[in-house]
């Protein structure tokens, strides 16, 4: 018993000591009081050198945290445990967060670099006059495929994926809206369709795809496709750019039936403590040179018009990742369909996953 | 006087039970009666009895059963051999060692090993069988799960075997029982508690596995755990997620009662 008490006290003392040391370390590192800035972003979605540069310029310390879905990010901001100062949600998440009062309005006077953004990306339906958000990156959902593994066969449409020869060759991303959207588009319906008969039809069409689907995976897809684990992947454009950089036999196509066009945007959530610093950070990222550096690192398309001149021509002239705007009329932005409809999408997606070969 | 001292000792225990056991379960049960818009409903329970969720429950059971079975088949002889070795503790440590490595890391390693160009297929090629799809199959899912759960099966069985009085085995042999009879009539019944404890420690977490279903089975295996994760994180239908959790708790309680000691 005595030994037990002794060891208990020892553990307690050790923890207190560690707590003290970590506090001191935080202070020494500058992580104290109001000179920190907590940035909440998607994983691997910023050039770390830019963070260092920002810290040097402003004297602020950036704490960088990541999420892997809009839903998880919203849950954490709504719950309010951490004082996130800047976050980067997609467009449909922004309209939802606006409804739930999770956003703080931006002060445009503190964002002079907003003028460099291409006007086509401003004043979009999910946030009129950019009251709450400024664009960060944009892109599409499409098909990445391995030319060699397909023996030179070209993929141009969603319906090509149903080809019987592609048995066990397709990897899908684990997203209900992306996969359901693909099926809806292949039937020439809108990917924001809320007609249950159409959705059931899309689900039946997906069931027919099952023999061709090797797996439904998350971020691992960025390793699996370049490693030639499967010939085809349904992915976001920037992930495709990253994969092509690793394996030059890969190609990316936005299917002709239509697909998703998305925008990720910087916002200041209501949890923010350092609102001044958040504006500084957003303005810093809007600087054309910084935006260009970031775009080159991350691989997604930048909405910053002035940044394009700092990027190599082979990037900005690649129509796969910087498609002409007048040619993407068939692309749609996700709308906030409401909780009930989203639950229905997810239920159908779950049933599709359970469908056996 | 004595009573009040005992009450003081009981206090942390009661606090723990109230905050960390009763409260969360009560919250889950409470949540399960609300629909996605926050209205009171029994709809979630009705939905659980639709083919989708019943099928999911059955397949969760089936995979958890397979995982437990294979773990037992491998763990019992292993534990038995361990008790016969010279440096028991060292060998036991070797079996426990993998549990010190982060679960996700181990699972990611299997992505590489089982891949088309991975080690496993290289071996299959070398012996002339040729490349097979290993990743994203039922086999790889059960294999990786068994690999992860085996230490939890070995430990209780090892302890039970250690506690077994060797003179009982000697007596059985002296009285003419064959090795197999000795095992069947003496050793196995006396270590049954260890086997039960091991099965509980494997079956119950196996029932609600989720990360492995996506990483190794590529979402080709859907368990109740996957559905709960999806409802809480993606759909935000906490009511349905909680309802599945309520059923899982009931199923687990049932398993514990079934394998428990009736004394």
């Amino acid at each position: 018993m005595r030994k037990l008490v002794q060891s208990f006290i020892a553990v307690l003392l050790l923890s207190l000591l560690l707590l003290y040391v970590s506090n001191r370390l935080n202070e020494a590192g500058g992580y104290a009081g109001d000179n920190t800035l907590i940035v909440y972003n998607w994983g691997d979605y910023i050039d770390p050198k830019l963070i260092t540069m920002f810290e040097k310029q402003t004297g602020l310390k950036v704490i960088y945290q990541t999420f892997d879905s809009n839903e998880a990010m919203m849950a954490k901001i709504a719950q309010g445990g951490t004082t996130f100062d800047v976050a980067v949600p997609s467009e449909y998440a922004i309209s939802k967060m606006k409804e739930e009062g999770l956003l703080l309005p931006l002060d445009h006077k503190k964002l002079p670099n907003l003028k460099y953004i291409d006007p086509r990306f401003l004043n979009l339906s999910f946030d009129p006059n950019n009251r709450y958000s400024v664009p960060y990156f944009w892109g599409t959902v499409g098909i990445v495929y391995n030319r060699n593994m397909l023996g030179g066969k070209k993929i141009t449409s969603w319906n090509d994926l149903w080809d019987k020869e592609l048995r066990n060759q397709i990897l899908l991303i684990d997203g209900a809206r992306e996969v359901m959207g693909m099926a809806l588009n292949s039937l020439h319906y809108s990917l924001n369709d809320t007609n249950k008969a159409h959705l059931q039809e899309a689900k039946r069409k997906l069931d027919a795809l099952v023999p061709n689907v090797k797996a439904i995976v998350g971020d691992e897809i960025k390793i699996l496709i370049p490693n030639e684990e499967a010939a085809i992947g349904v992915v976001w454009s920037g992930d495709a750019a990253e994969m092509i950089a690793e394996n030059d036999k890969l190609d990316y196509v936005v299917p002709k039936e239509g697909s998703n066009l998305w925008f990720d945007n910087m916002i200041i959530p209501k949890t923010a403590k350092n609102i001044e610093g958040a504006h500084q950070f957003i303005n810093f990222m809007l600087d054309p040179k910084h935006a260009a550096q970031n775009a080159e690192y991350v691989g997604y398309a930048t909405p910053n018009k002035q940044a394009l001149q700092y990027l190599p021509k082979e990037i900005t002239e690649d129509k796969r990742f910087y498609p002409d705007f007048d040619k993407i009329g068939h692309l749609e932005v996700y709308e906030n369909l409401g909780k009930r409809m989203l639950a229905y999408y997810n239920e159908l997606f779950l049933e599709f996953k359970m469908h056996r070969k | 006087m004595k009573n009040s001292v005992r009450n003081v000792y009981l206090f942390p225990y009661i606090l723990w039970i109230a905050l960390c056991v009763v409260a969360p379960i009560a919250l889950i049960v409470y949540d399960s009666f609300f629909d996605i818009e926050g209205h009171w409903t029994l709809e979630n329970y009705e939905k659980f009895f639709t083919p989708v969720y019943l099928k999911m429950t059955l397949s969760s059971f089936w995979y958890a059963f397979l995982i437990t079975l294979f773990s037992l088949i491998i763990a019992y002889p292993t534990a038995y051999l361990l008790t016969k070795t010279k440096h028991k503790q060292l060998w036991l440590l070797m079996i426990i060692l993998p549990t010190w490595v982060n679960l996700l890391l181990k699972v990611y390693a299997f992505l590489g090993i089982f891949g088309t160009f991975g080690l496993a297929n290289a071996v299959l090629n070398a012996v002339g069988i040729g490349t097979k799809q290993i990743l994203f199959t039922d086999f790889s899912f059960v294999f990786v799960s068994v690999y992860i759960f085996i230490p939890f099966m070995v430990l209780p069985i090892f302890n039970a075997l250690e506690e077994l009085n060797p003179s009982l085995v000697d007596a059985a042999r002296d009285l003419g029982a064959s090795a197999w009879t000795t095992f069947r009539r003496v050793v196995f019944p006396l270590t049954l508690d260890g086997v039960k404890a091991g099965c509980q420690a494997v079956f119950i977490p196996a029932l609600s596995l989720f990360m492995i279903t996506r990483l190794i089975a590529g979402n080709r295996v859907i368990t109740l755990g996957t559905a709960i994760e999806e409802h809480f994180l993606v759909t935000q239908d906490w009511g349905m997620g909680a309802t599945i959790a309520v059923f899982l708790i009931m199923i687990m309680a049932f398993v514990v009662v079934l394998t428990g000691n009736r004394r």
Side-chain angles (χ1 to χ4, degrees), chain A residues 71 75 168 174 214-216 218 220 224 227-229 339-340 343 346-347 350-351 353-356, chain B residues 35-37 47 52 56 63 108 115-117 133 136 138 214-215 218-220 230 233-236:
Chain A
E71 286 74 16
N168 230 352
D174 189 6
K214 189 166 190 182
I216 303 163
E220 310 85 71
L224 296 169
N227 282 353
E228 310 198 332
E229 195 64 53
K339 270 188 175 177
R340 244 186 210 281
N346 273 284
E347 211 178 287
L350 195 65
E351 282 176 39
K353 282 183 184 172
M354 287 177 59
H355 194 89
R356 305 292 290 191
Chain B
D35 70 7
I36 198 162
E37 273 140 6
K47 218 158 114 191
V52 179
M56 206 186 299
Y63 286 108
Y108 262 100
T116 311
F117 306 100
Q133 188 190 339
F136 309 130
D138 287 3
R214 191 188 85 192
L215 286 169
N219 274 317
R220 307 261 31 123
E230 191 138 319
L233 285 182
V234 184
T235 328
Q236 309 218 303

Side-chain angles (χ1 to χ4, degrees), chain A residues 66-344:
Chain A
T66 60
F67 54 86
D68 58 10
S69 78
N70 279 306
E71 286 74 16
M73 179 266 315
M74 278 190 277
K76 243 183 147 178
I77 285 179
Q79 175 214 346
T82 316
T83 58
F84 299 111
D85 296 306
V86 178
V88 188
S90 310
E91 68 299 310
Y92 71 98
I94 286 176
S95 49
K96 208 166 155 193
M97 291 171 88
K98 215 162 60 179
E99 265 169 35
E100 289 169 18
L102 294 175
L103 301 177
L104 294 179
L106 299 174
D107 184 350
H108 285 214
K109 278 194 220 96
K110 290 179 183 159
L111 303 172
N113 288 342
L114 193 56
K115 63 172 182 275
Y116 297 121
I117 296 292
D118 191 327
R120 292 176 309 188
F121 297 100
L122 293 173
N123 197 14
L124 294 169
S125 64
F126 60 88
D127 184 22
N129 296 319
N130 291 76
R131 218 170 105 81
Y132 297 99
S133 68
V134 297
Y136 184 65
F137 279 122
W138 66 284
T140 52
V141 171
I143 304 170
V144 65
Y145 63 96
N146 189 311
R147 285 185 304 262
N148 277 27
M149 287 172 80
L150 292 180
K153 183 152 55 183
K154 268 206 144 151
I155 302 272
T156 55
S157 74
W158 289 123
N159 279 303
D160 287 344
L161 298 184
W162 272 263
D163 187 333
K164 284 206 169 52
E165 279 174 33
L166 298 178
R167 214 181 145 79
N168 230 352
Q169 283 298 352
I170 302 174
L171 294 179
L172 300 176
I173 33 174
D174 189 6
R177 295 232 36 194
E178 282 74 21
V179 175
M180 286 298 293
M182 161 184 102
L184 285 166
N185 275 157
S186 77
L187 293 162
H188 301 282
Y189 294 134
S190 157
L191 45 72
N192 292 310
D193 206 324
T194 54
N195 181 333
K196 288 200 175 176
H198 292 173
L199 289 169
Q200 286 288 350
E201 196 183 339
K203 151 79 174 49
R204 280 195 299 277
K205 178 134 191 202
L206 280 179
D207 286 346
L209 184 68
V210 166
N212 288 359
V213 177
K214 189 166 190 182
I216 303 163
V217 293
D219 268 342
E220 310 85 71
I221 202 166
K222 287 198 253 178
I223 314 170
L224 296 169
I225 296 278
N227 282 353
E228 310 198 332
E229 195 64 53
I232 294 174
V234 174
V235 295
W236 289 286
S237 54
D239 285 357
E242 219 174 288
M243 294 176 204
I244 291 171
E246 274 177 58
N247 184 335
D248 56 8
K249 290 169 212 123
L250 296 176
D251 209 344
Y252 177 77
V253 61
V254 178
K256 61 180 180 211
E257 295 100 329
S259 184
N260 169 232
L261 176 70
W262 54 260
F263 307 91
D264 283 342
N265 311 271
M266 293 183 273
I267 54 111
I268 303 182
K270 72 154 205 268
T271 53
K273 275 264 151 60
N274 191 350
I275 294 169
E276 182 62 38
H279 280 96
Q280 279 180 343
F281 183 81
I282 293 174
N283 198 45
F284 177 87
M285 294 309 293
L286 290 174
D287 182 280
K289 276 194 181 141
H290 301 156
Q293 186 181 338
N294 205 24
E296 206 172 346
Y297 176 87
V298 177
Y300 280 98
T302 177
N304 196 312
K305 203 171 187 177
Q306 288 299 313
L308 297 179
Q309 64 186 9
Y310 298 111
L311 283 166
K313 276 233 157 51
E314 66 256 33
I315 291 184
T316 55
E317 283 177 0
D318 193 335
K319 292 282 175 273
R320 295 173 301 184
F321 303 112
Y322 285 89
D324 293 331
F325 238 66
D326 48 344
K327 282 190 191 135
I328 55 176
H330 58 308
L331 299 184
E332 288 174 280
V333 177
Y334 289 137
E335 283 161 22
N336 176 15
L337 301 176
K339 270 188 175 177
R340 244 186 210 281
M341 210 58 221
L342 191 67
Y344 191 66

Side-chain angles (χ1 to χ4, degrees), chain B residues 156-177:
Chain B
I157 297 177
F158 175 82
N159 286 335
L161 283 166
E162 278 284 277
E163 281 167 20
L164 182 74
N165 189 341
S167 53
L168 291 173
V169 178
D170 294 340
R173 296 307 300 269
D174 275 354
L175 294 170

